């Protein structure tokens, strides 16, 4: 028996706020009836605001992996070349999926500590004189590493190369947490899911779709049925779906979008920036290195912290779970045992971060990891001090 609340500090699924839980706890309605049309249209309209698009948005009853698959099968044909980047575990899984679907992937190697280099994008596309590359696919926020890729700069690099490839972006762990603009950055397909910045349970996958991507879907020949955009977009115009949608999650989606809009997206992004900065200050004070090697690419939704050599991150996480009832993110793929990840996204505030960092600091002591005390103090000083105003100002300037 554990008293008090469990701390779910993995980088998604995230804590679902009471407001959303209550919204979901409604009677399920007829998904072909008139009341549903309003819900469906409101859910799609709300999501457009979060993606910052006036274009098409498709909602699948799926995990993020389904939305990944939808982005590929709707736009590409067997044998097409896709330019992808080894930024971490999720970029590697997306590559594996593309290969299994019969695509040819030019996979640019990476060290899992850096995002996509826009200059490499420019060069690869400039070298592709025969226009074999049909799409550039980038993970905006690598959830396995806490490293972002700069999508606006990648867009500029593609424009500089005057290359017609589509731009596909995975925002599964950035949408609703880190500034992202589907239309302004002329992204062709944005992939997202419900269970992170949108503060919902897992179970919804999203695609935001540009007109260029929609036109490409008419020529694309990869087999598709469940993931086909055409019936989704056609029925979606009236707020309906070609098959049974996840009705109750859509109630939740409507509510979570309302929460994000009540707070204001610039404020939401600034709040996440503060949590990330406070977390990095804690790690620095502990004498632990964060995995992200480029400050321009720090993630605001999670921080991956490296363990000192000879210490197993999973053994540390097990102690934190056992002693303090807190779940931290595990090291994925080649990072297994080498990093732990602190999720600081979604329905989250200063005191939840203080509790989270306290659990980490106590856990480090309990597991005999060499570190310096004072990380929590460093974070609190930042949170209580000028960090509040400054981060809000910075986020405002970015928008
Ligand atoms: C960046 C990223 N892409 C893709 C996925 C896969 O999504 P799902 O596990 O919902 O299928 C995840 C899951 O955490 C992710 O973080």
């Amino acid at each position: 028996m554990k008293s008090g609340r469990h701390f779910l500090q993995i980088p998604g699924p995230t804590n679902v706020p009471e407001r959303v839980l209550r919204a979901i706890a409604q009677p399920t309605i007829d998904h072909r009836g008139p009341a549903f049309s309003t819900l469906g249209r409101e859910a799609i309209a709300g999501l457009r605001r979060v993606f910052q698009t006036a274009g098409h948005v498709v909602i699948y009853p799926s995990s993020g992996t389904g939305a990944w698959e939808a982005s590929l099968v709707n736009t590409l044909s067997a044998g097409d070349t896709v330019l992808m980047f080894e930024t971490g575990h999720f970029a590697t899984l997306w590559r594996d999926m593309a290969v299994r679907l019969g695509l040819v992937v030019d996979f640019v190697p990476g060290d899992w500590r850096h995002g996509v280099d826009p200059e490499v994008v420019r060069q690869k596309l400039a070298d592709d004189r025969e226009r074999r590359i049909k799409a550039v696919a980038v993970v905006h926020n690598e959830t396995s590493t806490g490293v972002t890729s700069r999508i606006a700069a990648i867009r500029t690099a593609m424009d500089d190369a005057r290359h017609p490839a589509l731009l596909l972006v995975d925002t599964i762990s950035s949408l609703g947490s880190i500034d992202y603009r589907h239309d302004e950055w002329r992204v062709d397909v944005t992939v997202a899911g419900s269970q992170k910045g949108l503060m919902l349970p897992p179970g919804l996958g999203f695609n935001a779709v540009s007109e260029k991507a929609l036109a490409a879907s008419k020529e694309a020949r990869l087999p598709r049925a469940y993931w086909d955009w055409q019936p989704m977009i056609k029925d979606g115009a009236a707020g309906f779906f070609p098959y049974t949608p996840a009705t109750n999650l859509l109630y939740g989606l409507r509510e979570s979008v309302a929460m994000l809009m009540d707070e204001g997206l610039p404020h939401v992004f600034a709040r996440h920036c503060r949590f990330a900065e406070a977390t990095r200050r804690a790690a620095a004070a502990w004498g632990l290195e964060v995995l992200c090697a480029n400050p321009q690419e720090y993630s605001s939704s999670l921080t991956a912290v490296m363990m000192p050599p000879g210490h197993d991150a999973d053994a540390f996480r097990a102690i934190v779970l056992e002693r303090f009832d807190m779940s931290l993110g595990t090291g994925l793929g080649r990072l297994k045992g080498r990093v732990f990840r602190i999720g600081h996204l979604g329905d989250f505030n200063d005191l939840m971060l203080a509790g989270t960092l306290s659990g980490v600091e106590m856990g480090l002591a309990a597991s005999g990891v060499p570190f310096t005390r004072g990380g929590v103090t460093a974070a609190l000083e930042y949170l209580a001090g000028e960090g509040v105003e400054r981060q809000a100002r910075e986020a405002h300037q970015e928008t």
Side-chain angles (χ1 to χ4, degrees):
M1 166 60 198
K2 304 237 188 240
S3 60
R5 190 175 66 68
H6 174 70
F7 267 63
L8 180 67
Q9 297 316 139
I10 58 174
T14 62
N15 297 291
V16 180
E18 286 289 325
R19 243 177 95 171
V20 172
L21 287 174
R22 277 197 297 273
I24 291 171
Q26 305 291 321
T28 301
I29 56 170
D30 173 10
H31 62 287
R32 312 269 183 216
F36 190 90
S37 162
T38 310
L39 172 62
R41 278 183 286 124
E42 285 177 2
I44 291 170
L47 266 185
R48 282 200 181 103
R49 299 179 70 185
V50 184
F51 280 110
Q52 304 198 45
T53 181
H56 309 284
V57 171
V58 175
I59 306 177
Y60 298 104
S62 78
S63 82
T65 301
W68 260 352
E69 182 161 340
S71 73
L72 299 175
V73 297
N74 278 286
T75 54
L76 298 164
S77 304
D80 280 354
T81 299
V82 184
L83 181 61
M84 296 176 117
F85 301 84
E86 188 200 357
T87 50
H89 182 68
F90 290 104
T92 305
L93 290 181
W94 203 10
R95 185 277 312 259
D96 293 348
M97 173 187 274
V99 170
R100 273 186 282 160
L101 289 171
L103 300 168
V104 176
V105 180
D106 181 352
F107 198 46
V108 178
D111 67 357
W112 293 38
R113 299 193 68 179
H114 292 85
V116 173
D117 181 349
E119 179 49 28
V120 174
V121 176
R122 201 194 59 73
Q123 197 57 55
K124 282 272 181 191
L125 295 182
D127 291 347
D128 178 36
R129 297 216 173 70
E130 289 165 14
R131 302 294 189 241
R132 283 182 199 279
I133 298 171
K134 299 296 177 218
V136 176
V138 177
V139 176
H140 182 209
N141 184 65
E142 242 306 343
T143 323
S144 60
T145 62
V147 179
T148 59
S149 287
R150 286 160 290 154
I151 305 301
I154 291 167
R155 173 77 263 171
T156 304
M158 293 176 69
D159 292 346
D160 287 350
R162 295 177 197 278
H163 195 289
L166 296 168
L167 176 57
L168 317 182
V169 181
D170 170 343
T171 63
I172 287 176
S173 59
S174 56
L175 192 77
S177 306
I178 302 174
D179 193 9
Y180 183 79
R181 306 165 192 199
H182 176 88
D183 282 3
E184 188 182 320
W185 297 341
R186 283 180 295 116
V187 177
D188 293 298
V189 188
T190 301
V191 174
S194 53
Q195 72 271 30
K196 306 208 188 223
L198 285 169
M199 307 176 287
L200 292 161
L204 296 178
F206 311 118
N207 279 178
V209 179
S210 74
E211 289 302 331
K212 184 174 161 186
L214 197 60
S217 76
K218 302 204 168 114
E219 310 297 324
R221 289 288 162 264
L222 280 179
R224 58 183 187 261
Y226 188 80
W227 306 116
D228 195 349
W229 286 338
Q230 305 288 343
M232 284 296 227
I233 290 173
K234 185 163 159 283
D235 292 9
F240 292 109
F241 291 78
Y243 42 72
T244 312
T247 311
N248 289 53
L249 289 179
L250 297 178
Y251 289 133
L253 174 62
R254 188 166 57 178
E255 194 65 19
S256 74
V257 170
M259 288 176 72
L260 291 172
M261 294 305 148
D262 285 353
E263 186 176 348
L265 287 180
H267 196 275
V268 171
F269 303 145
R271 179 165 56 81
H272 285 79
C273 286
R274 288 182 65 237
F275 298 148
E277 174 65 25
T279 304
R280 289 191 298 270
R281 288 184 184 216
W286 290 324
L288 300 180
E289 201 179 342
V290 302
L291 186 65
C292 180
N294 178 359
Q296 275 189 300
E297 296 171 337
Y298 283 146
S299 167
S300 294
S301 52
L302 77 136
T303 302
V305 181
M306 293 165 79
M307 285 304 263
H311 292 268
D312 179 14
D314 287 339
F316 158 74
R317 288 176 48 255
I319 288 171
V320 171
L321 180 60
E322 168 64 25
R323 295 276 296 267
F324 309 114
D325 199 18
M326 176 163 74
S327 296
L328 295 169
T330 186
L332 292 168
R334 69 150 90 144
L335 296 171
K336 183 155 180 50
R338 292 174 51 209
V339 303
F340 63 91
R341 294 171 301 143
I342 303 172
H344 35 69
L345 72 163
D347 183 40
F348 199 60
N349 64 26
D350 287 5
L351 293 189
M352 291 161 85
L353 181 63
T356 301
L357 297 175
S358 299
V360 173
E361 188 160 323
M362 290 189 288
L364 289 169
S367 45
V369 174
F371 79 106
T372 312
R373 282 178 198 277
V376 173
T377 307
L380 296 187
E381 274 170 9
Y382 173 75
L383 290 173
E386 46 94 46
V388 182
E389 292 298 319
R390 206 189 60 216
Q391 291 285 347
R393 257 198 325 274
E394 281 172 9
H396 190 68
Q397 278 161 9
E398 280 165 23
T399 50

